[in-house]
Amino acid sequence: ARADIAVIHARGGLPLVVGGSGLYLQALLDELEFPGTDPGIRAELEERAEREGGRILHDELAARDPAAAQRIDPGNVRRVVRALEVIELTGRPFSASLPDGRHHFPGTLQVGLKAPNEWLDERIARRTAAMLAGGFVEEVAGLGELSRTAATATGYREALAHLRGELTTAELAEAISLATRQLARRQVKWFRRDPRTHWLDAADPAGALEAALDAVRAETGD
């Protein structure tokens, strides 16, 4: 993605990076260190998370690296596991490898869309209904065996439970909507802690566009 951005810059264009996954965007836009991995350590931590619960591992992280624990939601077990894995691998706090607030590309403007929860929840419910009507469950059924990461992704986890007979069709729709609402809340929480984010009103496209232009003018001086 950075190579593509460089090509766009070279031809005088303005790259727009759009997405909701905070870690992926941060990996692209910030100076972010990526320590290695150890399948054995990770498997042991994941087994502990399943046996003891994610809260126990988050408490352990808080004892070993308070700064990292403060930044990682206790419900985000995958990130808690990763933080403990890095501590075991490097012997350093996980927070030592976190970004320091410097954008990789000078002049980057970071914009977020905000909306009332009720407005967002209604759109999530409509999107979930459209996914199911469009054959989402059938698509998941045809994928075969999924990796651990894919099998726990929002929507896929619930669809697999439905295919196992654990959720009715009506329960499936509500389960996906609930998981998506929770994901949206985590995404908002992630970006709100970054003071570089300019927040715009998603329910007012015209006003959001003008606010975005104002933010660009303030950043560039134009």
Side-chain angles (χ1 to χ4, degrees), residues 69-153:
Q70 187 174 14
R71 297 180 65 170
I72 299 176
D73 190 298
N76 195 338
V77 178
R78 183 161 50 182
R79 290 206 69 220
V80 173
V81 165
R82 175 57 177 160
L84 290 172
E85 178 191 14
V86 169
I87 292 172
E88 288 293 331
L89 276 171
T90 65
R92 298 185 299 144
F94 177 69
S95 53
S97 63
L98 295 176
D100 60 4
R102 290 180 296 115
H103 279 133
H104 177 77
F105 300 99
T108 295
L109 178 67
Q110 197 164 300
V111 174
L113 296 175
K114 62 180 179 180
N117 287 340
E118 297 78 11
W119 182 87
L120 184 60
D121 292 349
E122 191 273 333
R123 288 173 64 92
I124 288 173
R126 283 195 281 117
R127 176 179 179 270
T128 299
M131 286 170 53
L132 295 176
F136 177 64
V137 173
E138 293 76 11
E139 176 185 324
V140 174
L143 291 176
E145 186 175 354
L146 300 178
S147 67
R148 179 190 293 268
T149 299
T152 58

Side-chain angles (χ1 to χ4, degrees), residues 125 128-129 132-133 137 158-159 161-163 165-179 181:
T128 299
L132 295 176
V137 173
E158 293 74 24
H162 171 70
L163 291 169
E166 299 170 7
L167 295 173
T168 66
T169 301
E171 290 171 339
L172 171 62
E174 176 52 32
I176 293 177
S177 292
L178 173 61
R181 292 195 299 269

Side-chain angles (χ1 to χ4, degrees), residues 13-116:
L14 176 65
L16 297 179
V17 177
V18 183
S21 176
L23 183 58
Y24 285 2
L25 283 175
Q26 194 167 52
L28 172 63
L29 299 178
D30 286 355
E31 297 295 350
L32 188 59
E33 179 185 342
F34 290 93
T37 63
D38 186 304
I41 293 176
R42 179 170 297 189
E44 180 181 342
L45 289 167
E46 289 174 343
E47 190 276 331
R48 283 188 54 202
E50 292 181 5
R51 186 180 73 251
E52 303 172 17
R55 173 62 69 172
I56 297 296
L57 265 66
H58 191 271
D59 289 344
E60 180 178 326
L61 178 62
R64 302 181 68 178
D65 188 352
Q70 187 174 14
R71 297 180 65 170
I72 299 176
D73 190 298
N76 195 338
V77 178
R78 183 161 50 182
R79 290 206 69 220
V80 173
V81 165
R82 175 57 177 160
L84 290 172
E85 178 191 14
V86 169
I87 292 172
E88 288 293 331
L89 276 171
T90 65
R92 298 185 299 144
F94 177 69
S95 53
S97 63
L98 295 176
D100 60 4
R102 290 180 296 115
H103 279 133
H104 177 77
F105 300 99
T108 295
L109 178 67
Q110 197 164 300
V111 174
L113 296 175
K114 62 180 179 180

Side-chain angles (χ1 to χ4, degrees), residues 182-196:
Q182 292 171 336
L183 173 61
R185 304 295 193 269
R186 290 197 299 270
Q187 289 175 335
V188 169
K189 184 178 179 180
W190 175 288
F191 288 108
R192 273 183 178 164
R193 71 188 183 204
D194 190 338
R196 299 171 299 177

